[in-house]
Amino acid sequence: MEVSSKKPVSRFREVIQAPKKVVRDPRFESLCGTLNVDGFRKRYDFLFSNELPAEKEDLKKQLKTSKDPEVIEDLKKRISWIDKQLKSDSSKRTEAEILAEHKKKEREKAKQGKQPFFIKNLISGRNDLLKSIQISRDLANLITSWSKGERRMLQRTTDTCRTVDLTTLSSQLNGLTLLH
């Protein structure tokens, strides 16, 4: 039926509402529970220990036999992705081991009656930072004994290369000769 154009249209029209789709993201839903990182690592450890290295070797074989440049590029991307996954997994494992060791030491100190030292999340989130705490203390002692030029050089390297972590910085600085 057609609506007459002579009558003014009411402001509030009856509109049939379509049912709204509810999208749920399991990362943020409380219905899905919380993530157990240790359990996840135990359940999916076979991927990082067996599957990904085997896939990487298979892709390398395909890369040698392939002649199409697009296929070669895709294979290289996939190999680099696998390398990143394996590297991040190993760094996460070492970080978890370091944190577990630190927590164990702090529990022992607390049992002896000493004040425990709790690591902030920002500090513990950086890779190998707990290992490099001692290195940074040593570097701080070395920096005070350096000449002005060496301190400027260190400042330039830290200003221009913000991604340099303390372990690579300390390995670079071990090659420097200290001027007295």
Side-chain angles (χ1 to χ4, degrees), residues 90-111:
S90 66
S91 66
K92 285 179 184 177
R93 282 179 190 231
T94 55
E95 186 177 333
E97 290 171 3
I98 293 167
L99 280 174
E101 182 182 330
H102 177 74
K103 286 180 183 179
K104 185 178 177 183
K105 287 180 182 177
E106 292 304 319
R107 281 192 200 112
E108 291 172 4
K109 285 182 183 178
K111 285 180 184 176

PDB file of all heavy atoms in Angstrom, residues 90-111:
ATOM      1  N   SER A  90      61.952 -18.875  21.831  1.00  0.00           N
ATOM      2  CA  SER A  90      63.138 -19.131  22.645  1.00  0.00           C
ATOM      3  C   SER A  90      63.393 -17.978  23.611  1.00  0.00           C
ATOM      4  O   SER A  90      63.757 -18.198  24.778  1.00  0.00           O
ATOM      5  CB  SER A  90      64.355 -19.367  21.762  1.00  0.00           C
ATOM      6  OG  SER A  90      64.683 -18.205  21.053  1.00  0.00           O
ATOM      7  N   SER A  91      63.180 -16.732  23.161  1.00  0.00           N
ATOM      8  CA  SER A  91      63.393 -15.596  24.064  1.00  0.00           C
ATOM      9  C   SER A  91      62.354 -15.574  25.179  1.00  0.00           C
ATOM     10  O   SER A  91      62.669 -15.253  26.329  1.00  0.00           O
ATOM     11  CB  SER A  91      63.366 -14.281  23.291  1.00  0.00           C
ATOM     12  OG  SER A  91      62.092 -14.051  22.761  1.00  0.00           O
ATOM     13  N   LYS A  92      61.108 -15.944  24.855  1.00  0.00           N
ATOM     14  CA  LYS A  92      60.078 -16.009  25.895  1.00  0.00           C
ATOM     15  C   LYS A  92      60.397 -17.088  26.913  1.00  0.00           C
ATOM     16  O   LYS A  92      60.157 -16.922  28.108  1.00  0.00           O
ATOM     17  CB  LYS A  92      58.709 -16.265  25.261  1.00  0.00           C
ATOM     18  CG  LYS A  92      58.124 -15.063  24.581  1.00  0.00           C
ATOM     19  CD  LYS A  92      56.787 -15.378  23.965  1.00  0.00           C
ATOM     20  CE  LYS A  92      56.243 -14.192  23.189  1.00  0.00           C
ATOM     21  NZ  LYS A  92      54.971 -14.495  22.531  1.00  0.00           N
ATOM     22  N   ARG A  93      60.919 -18.209  26.441  1.00  0.00           N
ATOM     23  CA  ARG A  93      61.279 -19.291  27.369  1.00  0.00           C
ATOM     24  C   ARG A  93      62.391 -18.859  28.309  1.00  0.00           C
ATOM     25  O   ARG A  93      62.313 -19.101  29.521  1.00  0.00           O
ATOM     26  CB  ARG A  93      61.728 -20.526  26.600  1.00  0.00           C
ATOM     27  CG  ARG A  93      60.609 -21.309  26.025  1.00  0.00           C
ATOM     28  CD  ARG A  93      61.156 -22.488  25.269  1.00  0.00           C
ATOM     29  NE  ARG A  93      60.090 -23.110  24.533  1.00  0.00           N
ATOM     30  CZ  ARG A  93      59.831 -24.397  24.582  1.00  0.00           C
ATOM     31  NH1 ARG A  93      60.574 -25.197  25.287  1.00  0.00           N
ATOM     32  NH2 ARG A  93      58.839 -24.888  23.890  1.00  0.00           N
ATOM     33  N   THR A  94      63.423 -18.239  27.750  1.00  0.00           N
ATOM     34  CA  THR A  94      64.522 -17.813  28.611  1.00  0.00           C
ATOM     35  C   THR A  94      64.060 -16.753  29.608  1.00  0.00           C
ATOM     36  O   THR A  94      64.463 -16.774  30.775  1.00  0.00           O
ATOM     37  CB  THR A  94      65.692 -17.253  27.780  1.00  0.00           C
ATOM     38  OG1 THR A  94      65.206 -16.208  26.944  1.00  0.00           O
ATOM     39  CG2 THR A  94      66.338 -18.333  26.947  1.00  0.00           C
ATOM     40  N   GLU A  95      63.186 -15.858  29.155  1.00  0.00           N
ATOM     41  CA  GLU A  95      62.661 -14.836  30.058  1.00  0.00           C
ATOM     42  C   GLU A  95      61.842 -15.465  31.179  1.00  0.00           C
ATOM     43  O   GLU A  95      61.965 -15.076  32.344  1.00  0.00           O
ATOM     44  CB  GLU A  95      61.800 -13.853  29.274  1.00  0.00           C
ATOM     45  CG  GLU A  95      61.318 -12.686  30.091  1.00  0.00           C
ATOM     46  CD  GLU A  95      60.527 -11.704  29.270  1.00  0.00           C
ATOM     47  OE1 GLU A  95      60.751 -11.613  28.058  1.00  0.00           O
ATOM     48  OE2 GLU A  95      59.683 -11.024  29.866  1.00  0.00           O
ATOM     49  N   ALA A  96      61.027 -16.462  30.837  1.00  0.00           N
ATOM     50  CA  ALA A  96      60.230 -17.145  31.854  1.00  0.00           C
ATOM     51  C   ALA A  96      61.124 -17.880  32.845  1.00  0.00           C
ATOM     52  O   ALA A  96      60.861 -17.877  34.057  1.00  0.00           O
ATOM     53  CB  ALA A  96      59.258 -18.117  31.188  1.00  0.00           C
ATOM     54  N   GLU A  97      62.198 -18.494  32.351  1.00  0.00           N
ATOM     55  CA  GLU A  97      63.130 -19.177  33.244  1.00  0.00           C
ATOM     56  C   GLU A  97      63.818 -18.192  34.181  1.00  0.00           C
ATOM     57  O   GLU A  97      63.978 -18.460  35.374  1.00  0.00           O
ATOM     58  CB  GLU A  97      64.170 -19.938  32.424  1.00  0.00           C
ATOM     59  CG  GLU A  97      63.622 -21.142  31.706  1.00  0.00           C
ATOM     60  CD  GLU A  97      64.613 -21.743  30.736  1.00  0.00           C
ATOM     61  OE1 GLU A  97      65.770 -21.244  30.658  1.00  0.00           O
ATOM     62  OE2 GLU A  97      64.240 -22.722  30.056  1.00  0.00           O
ATOM     63  N   ILE A  98      64.210 -17.038  33.634  1.00  0.00           N
ATOM     64  CA  ILE A  98      64.870 -16.020  34.459  1.00  0.00           C
ATOM     65  C   ILE A  98      63.917 -15.516  35.533  1.00  0.00           C
ATOM     66  O   ILE A  98      64.290 -15.376  36.706  1.00  0.00           O
ATOM     67  CB  ILE A  98      65.372 -14.859  33.585  1.00  0.00           C
ATOM     68  CG1 ILE A  98      66.490 -15.332  32.677  1.00  0.00           C
ATOM     69  CG2 ILE A  98      65.842 -13.697  34.434  1.00  0.00           C
ATOM     70  CD1 ILE A  98      66.828 -14.352  31.581  1.00  0.00           C
ATOM     71  N   LEU A  99      62.664 -15.244  35.145  1.00  0.00           N
ATOM     72  CA  LEU A  99      61.685 -14.765  36.124  1.00  0.00           C
ATOM     73  C   LEU A  99      61.418 -15.812  37.197  1.00  0.00           C
ATOM     74  O   LEU A  99      61.309 -15.484  38.385  1.00  0.00           O
ATOM     75  CB  LEU A  99      60.382 -14.391  35.420  1.00  0.00           C
ATOM     76  CG  LEU A  99      60.365 -13.041  34.735  1.00  0.00           C
ATOM     77  CD1 LEU A  99      59.076 -12.858  33.957  1.00  0.00           C
ATOM     78  CD2 LEU A  99      60.518 -11.931  35.740  1.00  0.00           C
ATOM     79  N   ALA A 100      61.316 -17.074  36.794  1.00  0.00           N
ATOM     80  CA  ALA A 100      61.081 -18.139  37.771  1.00  0.00           C
ATOM     81  C   ALA A 100      62.249 -18.248  38.742  1.00  0.00           C
ATOM     82  O   ALA A 100      62.051 -18.407  39.960  1.00  0.00           O
ATOM     83  CB  ALA A 100      60.854 -19.457  37.050  1.00  0.00           C
ATOM     84  N   GLU A 101      63.451 -18.132  38.200  1.00  0.00           N
ATOM     85  CA  GLU A 101      64.640 -18.187  39.061  1.00  0.00           C
ATOM     86  C   GLU A 101      64.666 -17.012  40.033  1.00  0.00           C
ATOM     87  O   GLU A 101      64.962 -17.176  41.224  1.00  0.00           O
ATOM     88  CB  GLU A 101      65.887 -18.178  38.177  1.00  0.00           C
ATOM     89  CG  GLU A 101      67.183 -18.286  38.928  1.00  0.00           C
ATOM     90  CD  GLU A 101      68.370 -18.232  37.991  1.00  0.00           C
ATOM     91  OE1 GLU A 101      68.254 -18.662  36.831  1.00  0.00           O
ATOM     92  OE2 GLU A 101      69.422 -17.751  38.449  1.00  0.00           O
ATOM     93  N   HIS A 102      64.328 -15.818  39.518  1.00  0.00           N
ATOM     94  CA  HIS A 102      64.310 -14.627  40.374  1.00  0.00           C
ATOM     95  C   HIS A 102      63.258 -14.769  41.474  1.00  0.00           C
ATOM     96  O   HIS A 102      63.531 -14.464  42.641  1.00  0.00           O
ATOM     97  CB  HIS A 102      64.021 -13.391  39.525  1.00  0.00           C
ATOM     98  CG  HIS A 102      63.919 -12.136  40.333  1.00  0.00           C
ATOM     99  ND1 HIS A 102      65.021 -11.509  40.866  1.00  0.00           N
ATOM    100  CD2 HIS A 102      62.843 -11.412  40.721  1.00  0.00           C
ATOM    101  CE1 HIS A 102      64.629 -10.453  41.537  1.00  0.00           C
ATOM    102  NE2 HIS A 102      63.321 -10.365  41.461  1.00  0.00           N
ATOM    103  N   LYS A 103      62.066 -15.247  41.114  1.00  0.00           N
ATOM    104  CA  LYS A 103      61.010 -15.417  42.117  1.00  0.00           C
ATOM    105  C   LYS A 103      61.413 -16.429  43.180  1.00  0.00           C
ATOM    106  O   LYS A 103      61.121 -16.255  44.372  1.00  0.00           O
ATOM    107  CB  LYS A 103      59.713 -15.855  41.427  1.00  0.00           C
ATOM    108  CG  LYS A 103      59.041 -14.741  40.673  1.00  0.00           C
ATOM    109  CD  LYS A 103      57.769 -15.225  40.004  1.00  0.00           C
ATOM    110  CE  LYS A 103      57.120 -14.126  39.187  1.00  0.00           C
ATOM    111  NZ  LYS A 103      55.899 -14.583  38.513  1.00  0.00           N
ATOM    112  N   LYS A 104      62.096 -17.481  42.749  1.00  0.00           N
ATOM    113  CA  LYS A 104      62.546 -18.502  43.697  1.00  0.00           C
ATOM    114  C   LYS A 104      63.540 -17.907  44.694  1.00  0.00           C
ATOM    115  O   LYS A 104      63.439 -18.143  45.907  1.00  0.00           O
ATOM    116  CB  LYS A 104      63.188 -19.663  42.932  1.00  0.00           C
ATOM    117  CG  LYS A 104      63.580 -20.830  43.783  1.00  0.00           C
ATOM    118  CD  LYS A 104      64.164 -21.931  42.926  1.00  0.00           C
ATOM    119  CE  LYS A 104      64.629 -23.100  43.763  1.00  0.00           C
ATOM    120  NZ  LYS A 104      65.261 -24.143  42.944  1.00  0.00           N
ATOM    121  N   LYS A 105      64.489 -17.112  44.179  1.00  0.00           N
ATOM    122  CA  LYS A 105      65.466 -16.474  45.058  1.00  0.00           C
ATOM    123  C   LYS A 105      64.790 -15.521  46.035  1.00  0.00           C
ATOM    124  O   LYS A 105      65.151 -15.459  47.219  1.00  0.00           O
ATOM    125  CB  LYS A 105      66.501 -15.720  44.234  1.00  0.00           C
ATOM    126  CG  LYS A 105      67.476 -16.621  43.512  1.00  0.00           C
ATOM    127  CD  LYS A 105      68.471 -15.794  42.707  1.00  0.00           C
ATOM    128  CE  LYS A 105      69.417 -16.682  41.934  1.00  0.00           C
ATOM    129  NZ  LYS A 105      70.350 -15.902  41.093  1.00  0.00           N
ATOM    130  N   GLU A 106      63.815 -14.767  45.533  1.00  0.00           N
ATOM    131  CA  GLU A 106      63.129 -13.798  46.396  1.00  0.00           C
ATOM    132  C   GLU A 106      62.294 -14.501  47.464  1.00  0.00           C
ATOM    133  O   GLU A 106      62.171 -14.010  48.581  1.00  0.00           O
ATOM    134  CB  GLU A 106      62.259 -12.857  45.566  1.00  0.00           C
ATOM    135  CG  GLU A 106      63.062 -11.921  44.674  1.00  0.00           C
ATOM    136  CD  GLU A 106      64.066 -11.085  45.434  1.00  0.00           C
ATOM    137  OE1 GLU A 106      63.752 -10.585  46.532  1.00  0.00           O
ATOM    138  OE2 GLU A 106      65.188 -10.928  44.925  1.00  0.00           O
ATOM    139  N   ARG A 107      61.704 -15.648  47.139  1.00  0.00           N
ATOM    140  CA  ARG A 107      60.965 -16.424  48.149  1.00  0.00           C
ATOM    141  C   ARG A 107      61.905 -16.903  49.250  1.00  0.00           C
ATOM    142  O   ARG A 107      61.553 -16.885  50.435  1.00  0.00           O
ATOM    143  CB  ARG A 107      60.270 -17.620  47.496  1.00  0.00           C
ATOM    144  CG  ARG A 107      59.008 -17.265  46.788  1.00  0.00           C
ATOM    145  CD  ARG A 107      58.220 -18.505  46.408  1.00  0.00           C
ATOM    146  NE  ARG A 107      57.285 -18.177  45.350  1.00  0.00           N
ATOM    147  CZ  ARG A 107      57.352 -18.617  44.109  1.00  0.00           C
ATOM    148  NH1 ARG A 107      58.299 -19.460  43.747  1.00  0.00           N
ATOM    149  NH2 ARG A 107      56.473 -18.256  43.210  1.00  0.00           N
ATOM    150  N   GLU A 108      63.098 -17.360  48.848  1.00  0.00           N
ATOM    151  CA  GLU A 108      64.079 -17.798  49.833  1.00  0.00           C
ATOM    152  C   GLU A 108      64.506 -16.645  50.729  1.00  0.00           C
ATOM    153  O   GLU A 108      64.659 -16.809  51.947  1.00  0.00           O
ATOM    154  CB  GLU A 108      65.290 -18.415  49.129  1.00  0.00           C
ATOM    155  CG  GLU A 108      64.994 -19.738  48.455  1.00  0.00           C
ATOM    156  CD  GLU A 108      66.150 -20.240  47.611  1.00  0.00           C
ATOM    157  OE1 GLU A 108      67.228 -19.577  47.605  1.00  0.00           O
ATOM    158  OE2 GLU A 108      65.982 -21.281  46.966  1.00  0.00           O
ATOM    159  N   LYS A 109      64.697 -15.468  50.149  1.00  0.00           N
ATOM    160  CA  LYS A 109      65.061 -14.293  50.942  1.00  0.00           C
ATOM    161  C   LYS A 109      63.940 -13.930  51.914  1.00  0.00           C
ATOM    162  O   LYS A 109      64.194 -13.539  53.050  1.00  0.00           O
ATOM    163  CB  LYS A 109      65.364 -13.103  50.031  1.00  0.00           C
ATOM    164  CG  LYS A 109      66.685 -13.187  49.325  1.00  0.00           C
ATOM    165  CD  LYS A 109      66.919 -11.940  48.492  1.00  0.00           C
ATOM    166  CE  LYS A 109      68.205 -12.024  47.712  1.00  0.00           C
ATOM    167  NZ  LYS A 109      68.408 -10.833  46.866  1.00  0.00           N
ATOM    168  N   ALA A 110      62.685 -14.042  51.437  1.00  0.00           N
ATOM    169  CA  ALA A 110      61.550 -13.714  52.302  1.00  0.00           C
ATOM    170  C   ALA A 110      61.455 -14.703  53.462  1.00  0.00           C
ATOM    171  O   ALA A 110      61.102 -14.328  54.585  1.00  0.00           O
ATOM    172  CB  ALA A 110      60.262 -13.716  51.493  1.00  0.00           C
ATOM    173  N   LYS A 111      61.785 -15.964  53.207  1.00  0.00           N
ATOM    174  CA  LYS A 111      61.772 -16.962  54.293  1.00  0.00           C
ATOM    175  C   LYS A 111      62.837 -16.661  55.326  1.00  0.00           C
ATOM    176  O   LYS A 111      62.663 -16.943  56.511  1.00  0.00           O
ATOM    177  CB  LYS A 111      61.997 -18.362  53.711  1.00  0.00           C
ATOM    178  CG  LYS A 111      60.789 -18.924  53.005  1.00  0.00           C
ATOM    179  CD  LYS A 111      61.063 -20.301  52.462  1.00  0.00           C
ATOM    180  CE  LYS A 111      59.875 -20.826  51.673  1.00  0.00           C
ATOM    181  NZ  LYS A 111      60.159 -22.138  51.058  1.00  0.00           N
TER     182      LYS A 111
END
